[in-house]
């Protein structure tokens, strides 16, 4: 297995639409395993193809089950086939927008249809954190980030804060070299 590099904003691939996977090959199965490993190593709860530079509709998610045990879900060509009318607000973050968080309103429950790593069609209806993660990750496949759901003002503030942080980290690294 291999840990992959996670792309951060403003990388252009993050704003592009990912293509459908035509066949769930051993390479796709390996990619899903690598994505899951990368996600765990980065302490994330979800990762989409775009984020590792692959414009393919592949997603991994793990929000743990009710007992707190791992619940890895690997999805190929996922699609939301049902959304609840009820919406909820949750403080979201993203590995591609490091250390920035903001409240996003999403559907409380969704049903997702996808192919698993063996190419078998699955559906999963869920609520709570997992439903939020599904919506967040599926957005990635369409080139949409959680910050795109915010007001322009809030979005710009968050991006500015991220740039400031990057600058500070770069400066600290330079000082460390002296
Ligand atoms: Ni994300």
């Amino acid at each position: 297995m291999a840990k992959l590099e996670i792309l951060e904003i403003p990388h252009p691939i993050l704003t592009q639409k990912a293509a459908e996977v035509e066949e769930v090959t051993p390479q796709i199965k390996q990619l899903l395993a690598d994505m899951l490993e990368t996600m765990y190593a980065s302490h994330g709860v979800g990762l989409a193809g775009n984020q590792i530079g692959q414009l393919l509709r592949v997603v991994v998610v793990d929000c743990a089950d009710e007992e707190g045990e791992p619940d890895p879900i690997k999805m190929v060509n996922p699609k939301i086939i049902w959304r609840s009318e009820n919406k909820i607000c949750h403080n979201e973050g993203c590995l591609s927008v490091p250390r920035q968080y903001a409240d996003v309103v999403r559907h409380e429950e969704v049903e997702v249809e996808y192919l698993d790593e063996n190419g078998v069609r699955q559906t999963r209806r869920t609520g709570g954190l997992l439903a939020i993660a599904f919506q967040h990750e599926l957005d990635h496949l369409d080139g949409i980030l959680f910050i795109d759901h915010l007001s322009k003002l809030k979005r710009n503030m968050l991006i500015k804060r991220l740039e400031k942080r990057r600058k500070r980290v770069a400066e600290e690294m330079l000082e460390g070299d002296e």
Side-chain angles (χ1 to χ4, degrees):
M1 289 216 270
K3 198 178 164 241
L4 310 163
E5 191 200 340
I6 297 176
L7 305 180
E8 297 180 2
I9 57 163
H11 198 292
I13 284 186
L14 294 169
T15 61
Q16 289 170 28
K17 206 172 150 81
E20 295 258 329
V21 173
E22 285 180 18
E23 195 190 344
V24 186
T25 58
Q27 285 77 16
I28 292 290
K29 199 170 176 171
Q30 184 61 48
L31 177 65
L32 288 163
D34 289 342
M35 285 172 69
L36 202 62
E37 188 191 352
T38 303
M39 184 193 83
Y40 287 139
S42 310
H43 309 288
V45 295
L47 194 64
N50 306 45
Q51 292 180 278
I52 42 112
Q54 295 276 348
L55 277 174
L56 290 171
R57 301 189 85 81
V58 286
V59 160
V60 294
V61 172
D62 190 342
C63 290
D65 66 13
E66 279 128 52
E67 276 85 46
E69 294 296 317
D71 177 27
I73 305 167
K74 298 168 180 170
M75 302 192 283
V76 176
N77 299 339
K79 213 186 289 166
I80 296 177
I81 55 170
W82 175 83
R83 297 167 171 85
S84 67
E85 269 176 43
N86 262 4
K87 295 193 174 177
I88 43 165
C89 184
H90 185 78
N91 201 249
E92 292 186 26
C94 178
L95 293 173
S96 295
V97 192
R99 290 185 172 79
Q100 307 302 319
Y101 305 90
D103 285 343
V104 178
V105 176
R106 297 196 190 266
H107 297 277
E108 189 173 10
E109 291 172 278
V110 292
E111 185 168 353
V112 179
E113 182 186 279
Y114 60 96
L115 298 176
D116 67 16
E117 61 181 332
N118 299 311
V120 178
R121 187 181 156 275
Q122 306 281 354
T123 58
R124 188 141 171 175
R125 190 168 180 151
T126 189
L129 202 58
L130 190 56
I132 291 163
F134 281 163
Q135 292 169 81
H136 177 121
E137 297 312 323
L138 268 64
D139 262 1
H140 271 301
L141 302 180
D142 290 326
I144 299 164
L145 297 165
F146 82 96
I147 54 173
D148 297 326
H149 290 282
L150 309 176
S151 69
K152 211 171 171 182
L153 189 76
K154 196 115 194 254
R155 186 176 180 276
N156 288 342
M157 206 177 74
L158 211 131
I159 292 169
K160 226 180 229 165
R161 216 159 55 195
L162 173 60
E163 280 166 1
K164 247 191 194 161
R165 189 180 172 277
R166 278 180 178 150
K167 216 174 138 195
R168 202 176 61 229
V169 170
E171 279 166 7
E172 279 169 9
M173 276 173 73
L174 270 176
E175 281 166 22
D177 286 342
E178 280 169 16

